Amino acid sequence: MDGSGNSLAGSVGGDGSKRRVSYFYDPEVGNYYYGQGHPMKPHRMRMTHSLLVHYGLHLKMEVVEPFRARDKDLCKFHADDYVDFLKQVTPETQQEFAKVLKRFNVGEDCPVFDGLYSFCQMYTGGSVGGAVRLNTNRSDIAINWSGGLHHAKKCEASGFCYVNDIVLAILELLKQHQRVLYIDIDVHHGDGVEEAFYTTDRVMTVSFHKFGDFFPGTGDLRDVGHGKGKYYSVNVPLNEGIDDESYQRLFKPVISKVMEVYQPGAIVLQCGADSLSGDRLGCFNLSVKGHAECVRFVRSFNVPLLLVGGGGYTVRNVARCWCYETGVAVGVELENQMPYNDYYEYFGPEYTLLVPASNKENANSPEYLDSLRQQLLENISKLQHAPSVPFYERPPDMEPGEEMVLMSFEIPELLLTLCSFQEENDADARPTKPKPGVWNGEPVDSDSEGEGDVHRQRLPKQELDFISRKLPPSEEPVVKRPKFDEVSELALPDVSWVN
């Protein structure tokens, strides 16, 4: 495969063909609120939903309200005591947990807020539910814009992320697929996902991110994996100001080579919108079309695809981006002139869908990009072509509506033990000065975007009617190196059959 891949110019969906798309959305997601002045605003999902509904995209895909993930579903990756803490802590009781707040890295960046655990259950249920849709061949593409919280670790919150829905969705996909590819286009390194799968060849992680004095500080080119996972972690460290042309100069040849060599059975694409031009915490210079070109290109390979959200802190641009990329997923080119919608006033004075790049200086020289591309392609070429796994008896097919049964399918005995690097990672030694690219504790300018009374409003009835298939409620409410401060055991499920 060459850098041109399968993406055809002039067709919003890459190859122009339609896909069966499932879109996961819970009308309650916009009710959650990190706190006054915090840059993470779940209200952006409500704005995205309103926008895509008024473009008519809901008529071209299945709209599904996700199950809430249960305790035991979250514990497939996260430590029991950490999940118990998330379940019990509230703003009123957090002083009782003072001793463990620091241990679990919960505080300013990752605050305790009303409904925290329900929020985690909600966004995780969407990602795992999307994986189930792909596994049961009921969708070609599944979308969960509320997911993509890629920084969360096994035993701690990080970077506004509490539960790593991506890791849990990948574990679900591994029940049916020999190999899963994870791609991350957030401006921040996808450290939590990389760390979880750092020593296995069953999952390949590829992250394009700002590197240097920038949160979380990981994702060096030399971080390539360990043991069986060596060269299955691909890091693309970028400088600030990268534009569409420079980004695609790396993205297309790298992903083409990965697809050629690794041949994944499924792909998870994290579409963090903080890599857009003008993001309040980001420093890249991508347009909406340039960002969406990554979605279009990955879609063109016609491999089961899970799209999740992630970062994005200029919320009107996040809504624009994810609405446009939903159009890419279903194969529809959306008009730039925006239709009237519930949040129309937020998109003025232009009232247009597309966000252009700015005149920000690009600190990524052609020489740097060429050298980086050459090293990345050399590393990928060292991989064993399409590593295989043993055959196992296929489990019985799931009946429709049994997503949570499949979600809670017991994972076999331990197949993978993540390597413990002998590095000190004492929680007491956490730096007090935040890195660029993460919130510094100061109120952001977007306080008016989705806050006040509006963030507590419920969707109008006509929008609720667009939820075409509501599933029954679950039985329960439902240059730094990656640091491994303990031996983390992660069980990978046996593949059901060889595709």
Side-chain angles (χ1 to χ4, degrees), residues 318-425:
V318 175
R320 286 171 159 128
C321 181
W322 290 346
C323 176
Y324 186 80
E325 290 175 347
T326 303
V328 170
V330 300
V332 173
E333 180 67 63
L334 301 179
E335 294 184 5
N336 189 32
Q337 192 60 44
M338 190 175 290
Y340 186 80
N341 60 85
D342 296 337
Y343 305 100
Y344 191 70
E345 64 276 13
Y346 291 129
F347 300 104
E350 305 88 356
Y351 305 104
T352 53
L353 183 64
L354 300 178
V355 177
S358 71
N359 60 357
K360 183 180 178 69
E361 181 182 358
N362 185 354
N364 301 269
S365 68
E367 294 76 19
Y368 174 72
L369 296 174
D370 289 343
S371 174
L372 184 57
R373 182 177 64 244
Q374 180 180 354
Q375 184 60 60
L376 290 165
L377 295 179
E378 286 179 4
N379 286 349
I380 297 167
S381 297
K382 296 174 183 177
L383 293 175
Q384 172 189 351
H385 275 252
S388 61
V389 295
F391 285 83
Y392 291 91
E393 182 180 355
R394 174 178 175 172
D397 291 332
M398 295 295 110
E399 295 297 325
E402 290 187 338
E403 278 87 349
M404 288 302 292
V405 175
L406 186 54
M407 282 176 64
S408 61
F409 187 88
E410 291 302 323
I411 294 178
E413 293 298 318
L414 178 67
L415 296 181
L416 171 68
T417 301
L418 293 178
C419 175
S420 174
F421 291 89
Q422 299 304 312
E423 296 182 350
E424 293 296 325
N425 190 23

Side-chain angles (χ1 to χ4, degrees), residues 210 238-244 246-247 275-278 282-286 357-367 369:
K210 170 69 170 73
L238 302 169
N239 299 317
E240 65 180 34
I242 193 164
D243 56 24
D244 295 350
S246 297
Y247 202 89
S275 46
L276 289 176
S277 177
C283 59
F284 285 175
N285 193 24
L286 299 184
S358 71
N359 60 357
K360 183 180 178 69
E361 181 182 358
N362 185 354
N364 301 269
S365 68
E367 294 76 19
L369 296 174

Side-chain angles (χ1 to χ4, degrees), residues 39 90 96 115 117 215:
T90 67
E96 302 172 16
Y117 191 64
F215 182 85

Side-chain angles (χ1 to χ4, degrees), residues 17-19 48 62-63 98 128 136 164 179 192 235 238 271 295 328 348 405 424 459 490 493:
S17 61
K18 293 184 177 180
R19 302 284 194 272
T48 301
E62 179 187 32
V63 182
V128 179
T136 54
N164 200 314
R179 297 171 299 281
N235 283 298
L238 302 169
C271 303
V295 179
V328 170
V405 175
E424 293 296 325
L459 287 175
L490 177 59

Side-chain angles (χ1 to χ4, degrees), residues 82 86 104-106 110 151-153 155-162:
Y82 176 58
L86 292 176
F104 293 133
N105 199 28
V106 172
C110 301
H151 293 306
K153 309 299 194 301
C155 302
E156 68 175 42
S158 178
F160 316 155
C161 307
Y162 301 87

